[in-house]
Amino acid sequence: MSKRRKQDRAASGGKREKIRDVYVPRPFAGLTAEPDWIALRELVPAATAPLVLAADLADRYPDRTVTLATVLPMAVPALVRADGQIMIGLQRHAQSGDVSRDLAAALLAALETDPGDTVVVPPLPGPGPRLQDVLTDGALAVTVHDSFAFWVAAEAAADPAVQASLERADASIYPTTRMTAATAAYWCRVGERAHVRWVLGDEEDRALDTLARLSAAGDLPLGPQTKFAGMFRAHGLLVPVWDLPSGPAADEWEDPLTRFVKRYAEAAADTGDLDAAARRSRQGLLGRQLTLR
């Protein structure tokens, strides 16, 4: 180390504290809407949901409203509009091993940021409050969008330069619909292929056993001409994915998904040991699993 750097470090009080990153495999655990948080984080291109601050923060910042967004411009963690409205981005570039801590740090930084100013959020926030500490827990009232126009105020959207920027961003959005037959289930069309993706709320091992029972019984497809494509493992929960014919619209899959939800619930009620066929199916399902992190 150079003499100048040693002097600078001494002047600043000695050794710089090193922030240790900690990996939390299930960061949204404890939140009522855990599956929807994961879906918006990993599966949905453009959506928003209002958030309610915890009582102490609501008392300290009574004039601030907070909106959760799947992604913000340039994937920034948070922004504060000129009117003081706060938006928190789920999908971002810099992150630590605890997504919940990252989002809470972004929210707290935004609350301390003046309207219209840039929110400064550290890439590694260190120990501190998490989402479970800074929000009033409850279901998410998710709105799926076909445009990122929610990024800007209505008057700003009329600017030709802003319009052009939004059009470029909107080109990345693939058609997505939130299903009503199951919580955190989404239909989407990517290119020529359509899918249903459902974030299961059950603990991972139980969900895997349930899917294995359904697979062994031949009950895993949603219906004729559908295929169980595999599953994601996202933030500690499982996300089964089905390939669908591209023609039918999203609402035509509500009934098949409703019937599958019933089959899933019936299979989940069986807490006994897996039989030989289900154990083989379980191993096969593990081989078709992709972890998202």
Side-chain angles (χ1 to χ4, degrees):
M1 182 182 291
S2 69
K3 183 178 180 181
R4 175 64 180 273
R5 288 178 64 191
K6 288 180 180 179
Q7 291 173 340
D8 289 345
R9 175 168 287 184
S12 65
K15 275 190 173 183
R16 182 181 301 168
E17 182 182 357
K18 184 176 181 181
I19 298 176
R20 179 172 174 265
D21 194 11
V22 176
Y23 175 58
V24 178
R26 193 172 171 182
F28 304 109
L31 293 173
T32 298
E34 179 184 12
D36 262 326
W37 280 91
I38 293 173
L40 298 184
R41 164 84 179 183
E42 300 294 347
L43 306 177
V44 182
T48 56
L51 299 177
V52 180
L53 294 173
D56 59 331
L57 291 175
D59 289 341
R60 287 168 56 191
Y61 305 96
D63 57 339
R64 293 298 184 98
T65 61
V66 184
T67 300
L68 178 68
T70 48
V71 66
L72 294 174
M74 306 298 293
V76 297
L79 60 82
V80 182
R81 288 180 173 175
D83 63 2
Q85 180 183 350
I86 293 170
M87 302 195 81
I88 303 298
L90 263 171
Q91 302 169 18
R92 49 188 273 191
H93 293 311
Q95 62 187 42
S96 73
D98 184 358
V99 176
S100 178
R101 172 66 184 130
D102 292 341
L103 294 168
L107 173 57
L108 293 174
L111 288 169
E112 292 293 327
T113 301
D114 291 333
D117 286 355
T118 300
V119 182
V120 179
V121 181
L124 285 180
R130 307 174 73 243
L131 282 178
Q132 294 83 341
D133 305 310
V134 300
L135 296 179
T136 296
D137 189 30
L140 290 181
V142 177
T143 300
V144 177
H145 302 272
D146 58 8
S147 169
F148 287 116
F150 62 83
W151 284 348
V152 297
E155 57 272 18
D159 183 291
V162 174
Q163 284 184 346
S165 178
L166 285 174
E167 287 174 3
R168 289 192 294 271
D170 290 350
S172 67
I173 298 176
Y174 50 81
T176 303
T177 299
R178 191 170 190 241
M179 307 291 284
T180 62
T183 300
Y186 291 82
W187 172 95
C188 66
R189 180 181 286 117
V190 184
E192 296 300 318
R193 305 182 69 180
H195 312 275
V196 164
R197 303 162 174 172
W198 179 24
V199 184
L200 301 176
D202 289 333
E203 184 273 330
E204 184 179 346
D205 281 341
R206 185 186 183 203
L208 183 57
D209 284 353
T210 302
L211 293 174
R213 294 182 198 280
L214 292 170
S215 178
D219 288 334
L220 208 47
L222 282 186
Q225 296 183 302
T226 70
K227 176 185 175 184
F228 180 78
M231 57 191 174
F232 299 124
R233 183 176 182 269
H235 304 290
L237 297 185
L238 294 184
V239 188
V241 179
W242 292 269
D243 290 341
L244 313 173
S246 60
D251 59 359
E252 297 186 43
W253 296 104
E254 291 285 2
D255 286 344
L257 182 58
T258 297
R259 291 191 292 271
F260 182 84
V261 169
K262 182 180 179 182
R263 296 199 300 273
Y264 181 90
E266 291 170 349
D270 184 349
T271 58
D273 293 338
L274 298 179
D275 62 21
R279 289 196 299 272
R280 289 193 298 270
S281 293
R282 194 181 198 277
Q283 288 302 115
L285 289 170
L286 287 172
R288 300 164 71 184
Q289 176 177 281
L290 175 66
T291 299
L292 302 178
R293 182 185 164 191

